[in-house]
Amino acid sequence: MQIVSTIADARKIRASLNGTLGFVPTMGFLHEGHLSLVRRAREECDAVAVSIFVNPTQFSPNEDLNRYPRALERDLSLLKEAGVSFVFTPDAGEIYPPGFSTSIDVGDVAKPLEGAVRPGHFSGVATVVTKLFNIIQPTKAFFGQKDAQQCAVIRRLVTDLNIPVDVVICDIVRNEKGLALSSRNSYLTESEQERALLLHDSLGKAQERIAAGERNAETIKTLISDILSKDPDFSVDYISVADPDSLTELDSVNDDALISLAVKVGNTRLLDNILVRKR
Ligand code: AMP
């Protein structure tokens, strides 16, 4: 496995590879969720590249950029074990040299939910993903459904800008109790980890209610909100029932729907979602 931190070196390695290349962009502190994307990339492509870059432009000034968890040596040994061909670990100066000023605005899909709570976040994501695609030039790129709006933003970006990369969305990986894996779970105390299971439980109850015939989006959101309000330490940022591609809120669940939520559990902000498919 080769490890490079400059764009020039990444380009050299890319040019030396034959066949298809799968790419998994990450911010590091890897867990089974990330590794599931790597495994899928290995299944579908001849070689796999992973980037580890904590992208400053997708964090707001009041967010956790400086305390975002990092464990580079451990990450590299996991990626080596997983059969990755090369890892790109640039620093912020390599990606954003002096004078850098371009940014990508993907429009409406980036505005609600995470986009509303974290202004500029998806512009940062879309810009860095475009740069990484241009540097790595993958055949396919793998993203997790865990960040459902990010998936919708990337699909929009690739379609609108005719970027020749196939976007593959992979299922959410959860721990044995149902908590969606996230690098930020490391901020949770043991008690918070237990209580955070309510997020997935509430989505499961919503799914059951829809399977039993409920169609009204407000009723579904109220059901989730009632469950989450059982914990006084939770602060709900949003509960959404939306179209999975446009992220427009739905009145009624007649077609595919993305039920997503963002909740602060103590000081840690967690996301979870469930995709309800039309039967
Ligand atoms: P991050 O390092 O948080 O930027 O995540 C890198 C990629 O891993 C993104 O495409 C995430 O959606 C994906 N990912 C993170 N957590 C999970 C999970 N629990 N299951 C599946 N994919 C995940």
Side-chain angles (χ1 to χ4, degrees):
M1 185 176 82
Q2 300 188 74
I3 301 157
V4 292
S5 55
T6 67
I7 294 168
D9 285 343
R11 287 199 191 282
K12 261 187 227 147
I13 296 178
R14 175 58 182 117
S16 73
L17 294 172
N18 293 315
T20 56
L21 178 64
F23 175 47
V24 181
T26 81
M27 298 204 299
F29 209 71
L30 304 179
H31 51 64
E32 271 301 308
H34 301 107
L35 297 176
S36 75
L37 309 189
V38 172
R39 281 194 284 271
R40 177 90 176 263
R42 279 215 66 192
E43 279 163 27
E44 296 192 15
C45 299
D46 299 323
V48 176
V50 173
S51 61
I52 298 177
F53 179 57
V54 182
N55 176 33
T57 66
Q58 67 190 69
F59 288 76
S60 310
N62 59 343
E63 288 184 335
D64 57 348
L65 174 64
N66 290 328
R67 67 177 196 120
Y68 194 84
R70 288 163 170 88
L72 185 60
E73 289 311 313
R74 181 174 170 274
D75 289 349
L76 294 174
S77 81
L78 288 170
L79 295 176
K80 188 170 179 199
E81 219 171 283
V84 166
S85 310
F86 79 97
V87 184
F88 180 45
T89 58
D91 63 20
E94 182 73 5
I95 297 294
Y96 302 112
F100 182 88
S101 77
T102 303
S103 65
I104 294 181
D105 176 355
V106 288
D108 286 349
V109 68
K111 291 199 174 103
L113 310 177
E114 290 301 291
V117 181
R118 308 177 68 189
H121 171 68
F122 285 122
S123 176
V125 169
T127 305
V128 80
V129 167
T130 304
K131 284 176 68 77
L132 291 169
F133 282 0
N134 285 334
I135 296 162
I136 307 289
Q137 297 183 30
T139 321
K140 295 187 179 191
F142 298 79
F143 293 87
Q145 176 62 22
K146 159 86 188 347
D147 298 286
Q149 189 174 13
Q150 174 169 278
C151 293
V153 163
I154 303 291
R155 284 196 302 253
R156 187 78 263 156
L157 167 76
V158 164
T159 302
D160 287 356
L161 298 188
N162 309 99
I163 299 177
V165 174
D166 284 341
V167 172
V168 180
I169 307 298
C170 305
D171 290 344
I172 300 179
V173 176
R174 300 175 179 282
N175 73 11
E176 62 288 349
K177 292 181 174 169
L179 179 65
L181 299 187
S182 163
S183 305
R184 290 188 170 95
N185 289 354
S186 64
Y187 301 150
L188 298 171
T189 64
E190 230 168 86
S191 142
E192 285 172 339
Q193 288 220 18
E194 273 306 305
R195 282 146 53 210
L197 299 174
L198 264 193
L199 273 65
H200 182 234
D201 288 352
S202 71
L203 292 168
K205 292 277 184 317
Q207 191 172 35
E208 280 169 23
R209 191 69 79 80
I210 292 166
E214 182 60 63
R215 290 288 168 268
N216 187 293
E218 273 315 311
T219 308
I220 294 161
K221 289 187 224 183
T222 305
L223 168 79
I224 295 173
S225 161
D226 287 348
I227 294 173
L228 295 176
S229 65
K230 284 184 194 150
D231 193 314
D233 268 357
F234 284 9
S235 153
V236 175
D237 271 351
Y238 59 79
I239 298 167
S240 158
V241 177
D243 176 274
D245 294 317
S246 68
L247 274 311
T248 311
E249 286 298 308
L250 301 172
D251 294 328
S252 126
V253 181
N254 298 314
D255 220 322
D256 290 357
L258 174 72
I259 308 182
S260 62
L261 42 85
V263 180
K264 279 200 208 77
V265 175
N267 292 321
T268 308
R269 192 164 177 279
L270 299 179
L271 304 184
D272 205 346
N273 70 81
I274 194 164
L275 207 46
V276 179
R277 299 263 182 214
K278 187 177 171 188
R279 277 172 295 161

